[in-house]
Coordinates of all heavy atoms in Angstrom, one line a residue:
M249 N 0.9 -1.2 0.0 CA 0.0 0.0 0.0 C 0.9 1.2 0.0 O 1.8 1.4 0.8 CB -0.9 0.0 1.3 CG -2.3 0.4 1.0 SD -3.3 0.4 2.4 CE -4.3 -1.1 2.2
D250 N 0.6 2.2 -0.9 CA 1.4 3.4 -1.0 C 0.8 4.4 -0.1 O -0.3 4.4 0.4 CB 1.5 3.8 -2.4 CG 0.1 4.2 -3.0 OD1 -0.6 3.2 -3.4 OD2 -0.3 5.3 -2.9
P251 N 1.7 5.4 0.2 CA 1.3 6.4 1.2 C 0.0 7.2 0.8 O -0.8 7.6 1.7 CB 2.5 7.4 1.2 CG 3.6 6.6 0.7 CD 3.0 5.6 -0.2
V252 N -0.2 7.4 -0.5 CA -1.4 8.1 -0.9 C -2.7 7.4 -0.6 O -3.6 7.9 -0.1 CB -1.3 8.4 -2.5 CG1 -2.6 9.1 -2.9 CG2 -0.1 9.3 -2.8
T253 N -2.7 6.1 -0.9 CA -3.8 5.3 -0.5 C -4.1 5.3 1.0 O -5.2 5.4 1.4 CB -3.6 3.8 -1.0 OG1 -3.1 3.8 -2.3 CG2 -4.9 3.0 -0.9
L254 N -3.0 5.2 1.7 CA -3.1 5.3 3.2 C -3.8 6.6 3.6 O -4.7 6.6 4.5 CB -1.8 5.1 3.8 CG -1.3 3.7 3.9 CD1 0.1 3.6 4.6 CD2 -2.2 2.8 4.8
A255 N -3.3 7.7 3.0 CA -3.8 9.0 3.4 C -5.3 9.1 3.1 O -6.1 9.6 3.9 CB -3.0 10.1 2.7
V256 N -5.7 8.6 1.8 CA -7.1 8.7 1.4 C -7.9 7.9 2.4 O -9.0 8.3 2.8 CB -7.2 8.3 0.0 CG1 -8.7 8.1 -0.4 CG2 -6.6 9.3 -0.9
G257 N -7.4 6.7 2.7 CA -8.2 5.8 3.6 C -8.3 6.4 4.9 O -9.4 6.4 5.5
G258 N -7.2 7.0 5.4 CA -7.3 7.7 6.7 C -8.3 8.8 6.7 O -9.1 9.1 7.6
G259 N -8.3 9.6 5.6 CA -9.2 10.7 5.5 C -10.6 10.3 5.5 O -11.5 10.9 6.1
L260 N -10.9 9.2 4.8 CA -12.3 8.6 4.7 C -12.7 8.2 6.1 O -13.8 8.5 6.5 CB -12.3 7.5 3.7 CG -12.3 7.9 2.3 CD1 -12.3 6.6 1.4 CD2 -13.5 8.8 1.9
V261 N -11.8 7.6 6.8 CA -12.2 7.1 8.2 C -12.5 8.4 9.0 O -13.4 8.4 9.8 CB -11.0 6.3 8.8 CG1 -11.2 6.1 10.3 CG2 -10.9 5.0 8.1
L262 N -11.6 9.4 8.9 CA -11.8 10.6 9.7 C -13.2 11.3 9.3 O -13.9 11.7 10.2 CB -10.7 11.6 9.4 CG -10.5 12.7 10.4 CD1 -10.1 12.2 11.7 CD2 -9.5 13.8 9.8
L263 N -13.5 11.3 8.0 CA -14.7 11.9 7.5 C -15.9 11.1 8.1 O -16.9 11.7 8.6 CB -14.8 11.8 6.0 CG -14.1 13.0 5.3 CD1 -14.3 12.9 3.8 CD2 -14.8 14.3 5.7
G264 N -15.8 9.8 8.1 CA -16.9 9.0 8.7 C -17.0 9.2 10.2 O -18.1 9.3 10.7
Y265 N -15.9 9.4 10.8 CA -15.9 9.7 12.3 C -16.6 11.0 12.5 O -17.5 11.1 13.4 CB -14.5 9.6 12.8 CG -14.4 10.0 14.2 CD1 -14.9 9.2 15.2 CD2 -13.7 11.2 14.6 CE1 -14.8 9.6 16.6 CE2 -13.6 11.6 15.9 CZ -14.1 10.7 16.9 OH -14.0 11.1 18.2
L266 N -16.2 12.0 11.8 CA -16.8 13.3 11.9 C -18.3 13.3 11.6 O -19.1 13.9 12.3 CB -16.1 14.4 11.1 CG -14.7 14.7 11.5 CD1 -14.0 15.7 10.5 CD2 -14.7 15.4 12.9
G267 N -18.6 12.6 10.5 CA -20.0 12.5 10.1 C -20.8 11.9 11.2 O -21.9 12.3 11.6
G268 N -20.3 10.8 11.9 CA -21.0 10.2 13.0 C -21.2 11.2 14.1 O -22.2 11.2 14.7
L269 N -20.1 11.9 14.4 CA -20.2 12.9 15.5 C -21.4 13.9 15.2 O -22.2 14.3 16.0 CB -18.9 13.7 15.6 CG -17.8 13.0 16.5 CD1 -16.7 14.0 16.6 CD2 -18.4 12.7 17.9
L270 N -21.4 14.4 13.9 CA -22.4 15.4 13.5 C -23.8 14.9 13.6 O -24.7 15.5 14.2 CB -22.1 15.9 12.1 CG -20.9 16.9 12.0 CD1 -20.6 17.2 10.6 CD2 -21.1 18.1 12.8
S271 N -24.0 13.7 13.1 CA -25.3 13.1 13.1 C -25.7 12.8 14.5 O -26.9 12.9 14.9 CB -25.4 11.8 12.2 OG -24.4 10.9 12.7
R272 N -24.8 12.4 15.4 CA -25.1 12.1 16.7 C -25.5 13.4 17.4 O -26.4 13.4 18.2 CB -23.9 11.5 17.4 CG -24.3 10.6 18.7 CD -23.1 10.0 19.3 NE -22.2 9.4 18.3 CZ -20.9 9.1 18.6 NH1 -20.3 9.5 19.7 NH2 -20.1 8.5 17.7
R273 N -24.8 14.5 17.1 CA -25.2 15.7 17.7 C -26.6 16.2 17.3 O -27.3 16.8 18.0 CB -24.1 16.8 17.3 CG -24.2 18.1 18.1 CD -23.0 18.9 17.9 NE -21.7 18.3 18.4 CZ -20.5 18.8 18.3 NH1 -20.4 20.0 17.7 NH2 -19.5 18.2 18.8
K274 N -26.9 15.8 16.1 CA -28.2 16.2 15.6 C -29.4 15.5 16.3 O -30.4 16.0 16.6 CB -28.3 15.9 14.1 CG -28.9 17.0 13.3 CD -28.9 16.7 11.8 CE -27.6 17.3 11.1 NZ -27.5 17.0 9.7
R275 N -29.1 14.2 16.6 CA -30.1 13.4 17.3 C -30.3 13.9 18.8 O -31.4 14.0 19.2 CB -29.7 12.0 17.3 CG -30.1 11.3 16.0 CD -30.1 9.8 16.2 NE -28.8 9.2 16.6 CZ -27.9 8.9 15.7 NH1 -28.2 9.0 14.4 NH2 -26.7 8.4 16.0
T276 N -29.2 14.2 19.4 CA -29.4 14.7 20.8 C -29.0 16.2 20.9 O -27.8 16.5 20.9 CB -28.5 13.9 21.8 OG1 -27.2 13.9 21.2 CG2 -29.0 12.5 21.9
P277 N -29.9 17.1 20.9 CA -29.6 18.5 20.9 C -28.8 18.9 22.2 O -29.1 18.3 23.2 CB -31.0 19.2 20.8 CG -31.9 18.2 21.2 CD -31.4 16.8 20.9
E278 N -27.9 19.8 22.0 CA -27.1 20.2 23.1 C -28.0 20.9 24.1 O -28.9 21.7 23.8 CB -26.0 21.1 22.7 CG -25.0 20.3 21.9 CD -23.7 21.1 21.7 OE1 -23.4 22.0 22.5 OE2 -22.9 20.7 20.8
P279 N -27.7 20.8 25.4 CA -28.5 21.5 26.4 C -28.3 23.0 26.3 O -27.2 23.4 25.9 CB -28.0 21.0 27.7 CG -26.6 20.4 27.4 CD -26.7 19.9 26.0
P280 N -29.3 23.8 26.6 CA -29.2 25.2 26.5 C -28.2 25.8 27.5 O -27.9 25.1 28.5 CB -30.6 25.8 26.8 CG -31.3 24.6 27.5 CD -30.7 23.4 27.0
L281 N -27.6 26.9 27.1 CA -26.5 27.4 28.0 C -27.1 28.0 29.2 O -26.4 28.1 30.2 CB -25.8 28.5 27.2 CG -24.9 27.9 26.1 CD1 -24.3 29.1 25.3 CD2 -23.8 27.0 26.6
T282 N -28.4 28.4 29.2 CA -28.9 29.0 30.4 C -29.3 28.0 31.3 O -29.7 26.9 31.0 CB -30.2 29.9 30.0 OG1 -31.0 29.0 29.2 CG2 -29.8 31.1 29.2
A283 N -29.2 28.3 32.6 CA -29.6 27.3 33.7 C -31.1 27.2 33.7 O -31.8 28.2 33.7 CB -29.0 27.8 35.0
D284 N -31.6 26.0 33.7 CA -33.0 25.8 33.8 C -33.4 25.2 35.1 O -32.7 24.5 35.7 CB -33.4 24.9 32.6 CG -33.6 25.6 31.3 OD1 -33.5 26.8 31.3 OD2 -33.9 25.0 30.3
C285 N -34.6 25.6 35.5 CA -35.2 25.0 36.7 C -35.8 23.7 36.3 O -35.9 23.3 35.1 CB -36.3 26.0 37.2 SG -37.1 25.4 38.6
G286 N -36.3 22.9 37.3 CA -36.9 21.7 37.0 C -38.2 21.8 36.2 O -38.6 20.9 35.6
C287 N -38.8 23.0 36.3 CA -40.1 23.2 35.5 C -39.8 23.4 34.0 O -40.7 23.5 33.3 CB -40.8 24.3 36.1 SG -40.0 25.9 35.9
G288 N -38.5 23.5 33.7 CA -38.2 23.7 32.3 C -38.0 25.2 31.9 O -37.6 25.4 30.7
H289 N -38.3 26.1 32.7 CA -38.1 27.5 32.4 C -36.8 28.0 32.9 O -36.2 27.4 33.8 CB -39.2 28.3 33.0 CG -40.6 27.9 32.5 ND1 -41.6 27.5 33.4 CD2 -41.1 27.9 31.3 CE1 -42.7 27.2 32.6 NE2 -42.4 27.5 31.4
S290 N -36.3 29.0 32.3 CA -35.0 29.6 32.7 C -35.1 30.1 34.2 O -36.1 30.6 34.7 CB -34.6 30.7 31.8 OG -33.6 31.5 32.4
L291 N -34.0 29.9 34.9 CA -33.9 30.4 36.3 C -34.1 31.9 36.3 O -34.5 32.4 37.4 CB -32.6 30.0 36.9 CG -32.4 28.6 37.3 CD1 -31.1 28.3 37.9 CD2 -33.5 28.1 38.2
A292 N -33.9 32.6 35.2 CA -34.0 34.1 35.2 C -35.5 34.4 35.3 O -35.8 35.6 35.7 CB -33.5 34.6 33.9
L293 N -36.4 33.5 35.0 CA -37.8 33.8 35.1 C -38.3 33.6 36.6 O -39.5 33.8 36.8 CB -38.6 32.8 34.2 CG -38.5 33.2 32.7 CD1 -39.1 32.0 31.9 CD2 -39.2 34.4 32.4
H294 N -37.5 33.1 37.4 CA -37.9 32.8 38.8 C -37.6 34.0 39.7 O -36.6 34.7 39.6 CB -37.2 31.6 39.3 CG -37.7 30.3 38.6 ND1 -37.3 30.0 37.3 CD2 -38.5 29.3 39.0 CE1 -37.9 28.9 37.0 NE2 -38.6 28.4 38.0
D295 N -38.6 34.2 40.6 CA -38.4 35.3 41.6 C -37.3 34.8 42.6 O -37.3 33.8 43.1 CB -39.7 35.5 42.4 CG -39.6 36.7 43.3 OD1 -38.8 36.7 44.2 OD2 -40.5 37.6 43.1
P296 N -36.2 35.7 42.7 CA -35.1 35.3 43.5 C -35.5 35.1 45.0 O -34.8 34.4 45.8 CB -34.1 36.4 43.3 CG -34.8 37.5 42.8 CD -36.0 37.0 42.1
E297 N -36.5 35.9 45.4 CA -36.9 35.8 46.8 C -37.9 34.6 47.1 O -37.6 33.8 47.9 CB -37.6 37.1 47.2 CG -36.7 38.3 47.1 CD -35.9 38.6 48.3 OE1 -36.5 38.5 49.4 OE2 -34.7 38.8 48.2
A298 N -39.0 34.6 46.4 CA -40.0 33.6 46.6 C -39.8 32.4 45.9 O -40.3 31.3 46.2 CB -41.4 34.2 46.3
G299 N -39.0 32.4 44.8 CA -38.8 31.2 44.0 C -39.9 30.9 43.0 O -39.9 29.9 42.4
T300 N -40.9 31.8 43.0 CA -42.0 31.5 42.1 C -41.6 31.7 40.6 O -40.8 32.6 40.4 CB -43.2 32.3 42.4 OG1 -42.8 33.7 42.5 CG2 -43.9 31.9 43.7
C301 N -42.2 30.9 39.8 CA -41.8 31.1 38.3 C -42.8 32.0 37.7 O -44.0 31.9 37.9 CB -41.9 29.7 37.7 SG -41.5 29.7 36.0
H302 N -42.3 33.0 36.9 CA -43.1 34.0 36.3 C -43.5 33.6 34.9 O -44.2 34.3 34.2 CB -42.4 35.3 36.2 CG -42.1 35.9 37.6 ND1 -43.1 36.1 38.5 CD2 -40.9 36.2 38.2 CE1 -42.5 36.6 39.6 NE2 -41.2 36.7 39.4
A303 N -43.1 32.4 34.4 CA -43.4 32.0 33.1 C -44.9 31.7 33.0 O -45.5 31.3 33.9 CB -42.6 30.8 32.7
Q304 N -45.5 32.0 31.8 CA -46.9 31.8 31.6 C -47.0 30.5 30.8 O -46.3 30.2 29.9 CB -47.5 32.9 30.7 CG -47.5 34.3 31.4 CD -48.5 34.3 32.5 OE1 -49.7 34.0 32.3 NE2 -48.1 34.7 33.7
L305 N -48.0 29.7 31.3 CA -48.3 28.4 30.6 C -49.5 28.6 29.8 O -50.4 29.3 30.2 CB -48.5 27.3 31.7 CG -47.3 26.9 32.5 CD1 -47.7 25.9 33.5 CD2 -46.2 26.4 31.6
E306 N -49.5 27.9 28.7 CA -50.7 27.9 27.9 C -51.4 26.6 28.0 O -50.8 25.5 27.7 CB -50.4 28.2 26.4 CG -51.1 29.4 25.9 CD -50.7 29.7 24.4 OE1 -50.3 28.8 23.7 OE2 -50.9 30.8 24.1
R307 N -52.6 26.6 28.5 CA -53.3 25.3 28.7 C -54.5 25.3 27.8 O -55.3 26.3 27.7 CB -53.8 25.3 30.2 CG -54.1 23.9 30.6 CD -54.1 23.8 32.2 NE -55.1 24.7 32.7 CZ -56.4 24.4 33.0 NH1 -56.7 23.1 32.9 NH2 -57.2 25.2 33.5
M308 N -54.7 24.2 27.1 CA -55.8 24.1 26.2 C -57.0 23.8 27.0 O -57.1 22.8 27.7 CB -55.5 23.0 25.2 CG -56.4 23.0 24.0 SD -55.9 21.9 22.7 CE -56.5 20.4 23.4
T309 N -58.0 24.7 26.9 CA -59.2 24.5 27.7 C -60.4 23.9 26.9 O -61.2 23.2 27.4 CB -59.7 25.8 28.3 OG1 -59.8 26.8 27.2 CG2 -58.7 26.3 29.3
A310 N -60.4 24.2 25.6 CA -61.5 23.6 24.8 C -61.0 23.4 23.4 O -60.1 24.1 22.9 CB -62.7 24.6 24.8
H311 N -61.5 22.4 22.8 CA -61.2 22.1 21.4 C -62.3 21.5 20.7 O -62.6 20.3 20.9 CB -59.9 21.3 21.3 CG -59.5 21.0 19.9 ND1 -59.0 21.9 19.1 CD2 -59.5 19.8 19.2 CE1 -58.8 21.4 17.9 NE2 -59.0 20.1 18.0
N312 N -63.1 22.2 19.9 CA -64.1 21.6 19.1 C -64.2 22.4 17.8 O -63.7 23.4 17.7 CB -65.5 21.6 19.9 CG -65.9 23.0 20.2 OD1 -66.3 23.8 19.3 ND2 -66.0 23.3 21.5
K313 N -64.9 21.8 16.9 CA -64.9 22.3 15.5 C -65.7 23.6 15.4 O -65.6 24.3 14.4 CB -65.4 21.3 14.5 CG -66.8 20.8 14.8 CD -67.2 19.8 13.7 CE -68.5 19.1 14.0 NZ -68.9 18.2 13.0
Y314 N -66.5 23.9 16.4 CA -67.3 25.2 16.4 C -66.6 26.3 17.0 O -66.4 27.4 16.4 CB -68.7 25.0 17.1 CG -69.5 23.9 16.5 CD1 -69.7 22.7 17.2 CD2 -70.0 23.9 15.2 CE1 -70.4 21.6 16.7 CE2 -70.7 22.9 14.7 CZ -70.9 21.7 15.4 OH -71.6 20.7 14.9
A315 N -66.1 26.1 18.2 CA -65.4 27.2 18.9 C -63.9 27.3 18.5 O -63.2 28.2 18.9 CB -65.6 27.1 20.4
G316 N -63.4 26.2 17.9 CA -62.0 26.2 17.7 C -61.3 25.8 19.0 O -61.9 25.2 19.9
T317 N -60.0 26.1 19.0 CA -59.2 25.8 20.2 C -59.1 27.1 21.0 O -58.7 28.1 20.5 CB -57.9 25.2 19.8 OG1 -58.1 24.2 18.8 CG2 -57.1 24.7 21.0
S318 N -59.4 27.0 22.3 CA -59.1 28.1 23.2 C -58.1 27.7 24.2 O -58.1 26.6 24.7 CB -60.5 28.5 23.8 OG -61.0 27.5 24.5
Y319 N -57.3 28.7 24.6 CA -56.3 28.5 25.5 C -56.5 29.3 26.7 O -57.1 30.4 26.7 CB -54.9 28.8 24.9 CG -54.5 27.8 23.8 CD1 -54.8 28.2 22.5 CD2 -53.9 26.6 24.1 CE1 -54.4 27.3 21.5 CE2 -53.5 25.8 23.1 CZ -53.8 26.1 21.8 OH -53.4 25.3 20.8
E320 N -56.0 28.9 27.8 CA -56.0 29.6 29.0 C -54.6 29.9 29.5 O -53.8 29.0 29.6 CB -56.8 28.8 30.1 CG -57.0 29.5 31.4 CD -57.6 28.6 32.4 OE1 -56.8 27.7 33.0 OE2 -58.8 28.6 32.7
Q321 N -54.4 31.2 29.8 CA -53.0 31.5 30.3 C -53.0 31.3 31.8 O -53.9 31.8 32.5 CB -52.7 33.0 30.0 CG -52.7 33.3 28.5 CD -51.3 32.9 27.9 OE1 -50.3 32.9 28.6 NE2 -51.3 32.6 26.6
S322 N -52.0 30.7 32.3 CA -51.9 30.5 33.7 C -50.4 30.6 34.1 O -49.6 30.3 33.2 CB -52.5 29.2 34.1 OG -51.8 28.1 33.5
Q323 N -50.2 30.9 35.3 CA -48.8 31.0 35.7 C -48.2 29.7 36.1 O -49.0 28.8 36.5 CB -48.7 32.0 36.9 CG -47.3 32.5 37.1 CD -47.2 33.4 38.3 OE1 -48.2 34.1 38.6 NE2 -46.1 33.5 38.9
C324 N -47.0 29.5 35.8 CA -46.3 28.3 36.1 C -46.4 28.0 37.6 O -46.1 28.9 38.4 CB -44.8 28.3 35.6 SG -43.9 26.8 36.0
P325 N -46.8 26.8 38.0 CA -47.0 26.6 39.4 C -45.7 26.3 40.2 O -45.7 26.1 41.4 CB -47.9 25.3 39.4 CG -47.6 24.6 38.2 CD -47.2 25.7 37.2
C326 N -44.6 26.3 39.5 CA -43.4 26.0 40.1 C -43.0 27.0 41.2 O -43.2 28.2 41.0 CB -42.2 25.9 39.0 SG -40.6 25.9 39.7
R327 N -42.5 26.4 42.3 CA -42.0 27.3 43.3 C -40.6 26.8 43.6 O -40.3 26.0 44.5 CB -42.8 27.2 44.6 CG -44.1 28.0 44.4 CD -45.0 27.8 45.6 NE -46.3 28.5 45.4 CZ -46.5 29.8 45.6 NH1 -45.5 30.5 46.1 NH2 -47.6 30.3 45.3
Q328 N -39.7 27.3 42.9 CA -38.3 26.9 43.0 C -37.8 27.2 44.4 O -37.7 28.4 44.8 CB -37.4 27.6 42.0 CG -36.0 27.2 42.1 CD -35.1 28.3 41.6 OE1 -35.5 29.5 41.5 NE2 -33.9 28.0 41.2
Y329 N -37.5 26.2 45.2 CA -37.2 26.5 46.6 C -35.6 26.4 46.7 O -35.0 25.4 46.5 CB -37.8 25.4 47.5 CG -37.5 25.7 49.0 CD1 -38.0 26.9 49.5 CD2 -36.8 24.8 49.7 CE1 -37.7 27.1 50.9 CE2 -36.6 25.0 51.1 CZ -37.0 26.2 51.6 OH -36.8 26.4 53.0
V330 N -35.1 27.6 47.0 CA -33.6 27.6 47.1 C -33.2 28.0 48.5 O -32.0 28.2 48.7 CB -33.1 28.7 46.1 CG1 -33.2 28.2 44.7 CG2 -33.7 30.0 46.3
G331 N -34.1 28.1 49.4 CA -33.7 28.4 50.8 C -33.1 27.3 51.5 O -32.8 26.2 50.9
P332 N -32.8 27.5 52.8 CA -32.1 26.4 53.5 C -33.0 25.2 53.7 O -34.2 25.4 53.9 CB -31.8 27.1 54.9 CG -32.7 28.3 55.0 CD -33.0 28.7 53.5
R333 N -32.5 24.1 53.7 CA -33.3 22.9 53.9 C -33.1 22.3 55.3 O -32.0 22.6 55.9 CB -32.8 21.8 52.9 CG -33.2 22.1 51.5 CD -32.7 21.0 50.6 NE -33.1 21.2 49.2 CZ -33.3 20.2 48.4 NH1 -33.1 19.0 48.7 NH2 -33.7 20.5 47.1
P334 N -34.0 21.6 55.8 CA -33.8 20.9 57.0 C -32.6 20.0 56.9 O -32.5 19.3 55.9 CB -35.1 20.1 57.3 CG -36.0 20.5 56.2 CD -35.3 21.4 55.2
I335 N -31.8 20.0 58.0 CA -30.5 19.3 57.9 C -30.8 17.8 57.8 O -30.0 17.1 57.2 CB -29.7 19.6 59.1 CG1 -28.2 19.2 58.9 CG2 -30.2 19.0 60.4 CD1 -27.2 20.3 59.1
E336 N -31.9 17.3 58.3 CA -32.2 15.9 58.2 C -32.2 15.4 56.8 O -31.8 14.3 56.5 CB -33.5 15.5 58.8 CG -33.5 15.7 60.4 CD -33.8 17.1 60.8 OE1 -34.1 17.9 59.9 OE2 -33.8 17.3 62.0
E337 N -32.7 16.3 55.9 CA -32.8 15.9 54.5 C -31.4 15.6 53.9 O -31.3 14.8 53.0 CB -33.4 17.0 53.7 CG -34.9 16.6 53.3 CD -35.4 17.5 52.3 OE1 -35.0 17.4 51.1 OE2 -36.2 18.4 52.6
F338 N -30.4 16.2 54.4 CA -29.0 16.0 53.9 C -28.4 14.7 54.6 O -27.7 14.0 54.0 CB -28.1 17.2 54.2 CG -28.3 18.3 53.2 CD1 -28.9 19.5 53.7 CD2 -28.0 18.1 51.9 CE1 -29.1 20.5 52.8 CE2 -28.2 19.2 51.0 CZ -28.8 20.4 51.5
L339 N -28.7 14.5 55.9 CA -28.0 13.5 56.6 C -28.7 12.2 56.5 O -28.1 11.1 56.2 CB -27.9 13.9 58.1 CG -27.1 15.1 58.4 CD1 -27.1 15.4 59.9 CD2 -25.6 14.9 57.9
A340 N -30.0 12.2 56.6 CA -30.7 10.9 56.6 C -31.1 10.5 55.2 O -31.7 11.2 54.5 CB -32.0 11.0 57.4
P341 N -30.6 9.3 54.8 CA -31.0 8.9 53.5 C -32.5 8.5 53.5 O -33.0 8.1 54.5 CB -30.2 7.6 53.3 CG -29.8 7.2 54.6 CD -29.8 8.4 55.5
R342 N -33.1 8.7 52.3 CA -34.5 8.5 52.2 C -34.8 7.0 51.9 O -34.3 6.5 50.9 CB -35.1 9.3 51.2 CG -35.2 10.8 51.6 CD -35.8 11.6 50.4 NE -36.0 13.0 50.9 CZ -37.1 13.6 50.8 NH1 -38.1 13.1 50.2 NH2 -37.2 14.9 51.2
Y343 N -35.5 6.3 52.8 CA -35.8 5.0 52.5 C -37.2 4.9 51.9 O -38.1 5.7 52.3 CB -35.7 4.1 53.8 CG -34.3 4.0 54.3 CD1 -33.9 4.7 55.5 CD2 -33.4 3.3 53.6 CE1 -32.7 4.6 55.9 CE2 -32.1 3.2 54.1 CZ -31.7 3.9 55.2 OH -30.4 3.8 55.7
L344 N -37.4 3.9 51.1 CA -38.7 3.7 50.6 C -39.6 3.1 51.7 O -39.1 2.3 52.5 CB -38.7 2.7 49.4 CG -38.1 3.3 48.1 CD1 -37.9 2.3 47.1 CD2 -38.9 4.5 47.6
P345 N -40.9 3.4 51.8 CA -41.7 2.8 52.8 C -41.9 1.3 52.5 O -41.9 0.9 51.3 CB -43.1 3.6 52.6 CG -43.0 4.1 51.2 CD -41.5 4.4 50.9
P346 N -42.0 0.6 53.6 CA -42.1 -0.9 53.3 C -43.3 -1.2 52.6 O -44.4 -0.7 52.8 CB -42.2 -1.5 54.8 CG -42.5 -0.3 55.6 CD -42.0 0.9 55.0
A347 N -43.1 -2.1 51.6 CA -44.3 -2.5 50.7 C -45.3 -3.3 51.5 O -45.0 -4.1 52.4 CB -43.8 -3.3 49.5
Ligands
LIG627 ZN1 -39.2 26.5 38.1
LIG628 ZN1 -41.7 27.5 35.4

């Protein structure tokens, strides 16, 4: 095998590897750079004092062929709790209740 064939072969392997990386990245989108709360909204939408989420949720309330689809705006029920926790929660492991 001459060096040119080796180089082409190596390049093809590299291309395949990069293509695999790209397609894999497409399947699993990268996480957003902003920190998100468990409710899925950005932490910036949360009240730093109360921890309540200010994001508006759209809830479908009705859907029929006469009235169409109507939505109801409601506030996200999340209450991001960032205050101090009871120390027991850190020390005592949580056991499942006996079945
Ligand atoms: Zn939240
Ligand atoms: Zn939220």
Side-chain angles (χ1 to χ4, degrees):
M249 224 182 251
D250 59 279
V252 175
T253 313
L254 280 178
V256 169
L260 284 178
V261 167
L262 195 68
L263 274 180
Y265 175 68
L266 287 176
L269 275 185
L270 286 175
S271 57
R272 203 179 312 158
R273 193 168 293 179
K274 224 174 266 179
R275 276 199 298 273
T276 54
E278 290 193 21
L281 290 174
T282 52
D284 275 356
C285 177
C287 67
H289 300 119
S290 166
L291 285 180
L293 287 169
H294 291 73
D295 190 298
E297 299 275 311
T300 50
C301 181
H302 296 304
Q304 295 288 310
L305 294 179
E306 234 178 28
R307 202 160 59 94
M308 196 170 77
T309 51
H311 179 67
N312 61 67
K313 59 180 174 179
Y314 303 111
T317 312
S318 56
Y319 293 94
E320 183 187 77
Q321 297 279 335
S322 62
Q323 201 180 329
C324 180
C326 167
R327 286 175 184 275
Q328 180 208 21
Y329 185 60
V330 288
R333 290 182 176 204
I335 194 126
E336 289 87 5
E337 256 195 70
F338 282 113
L339 295 179
R342 289 179 173 229
Y343 293 108
L344 289 172

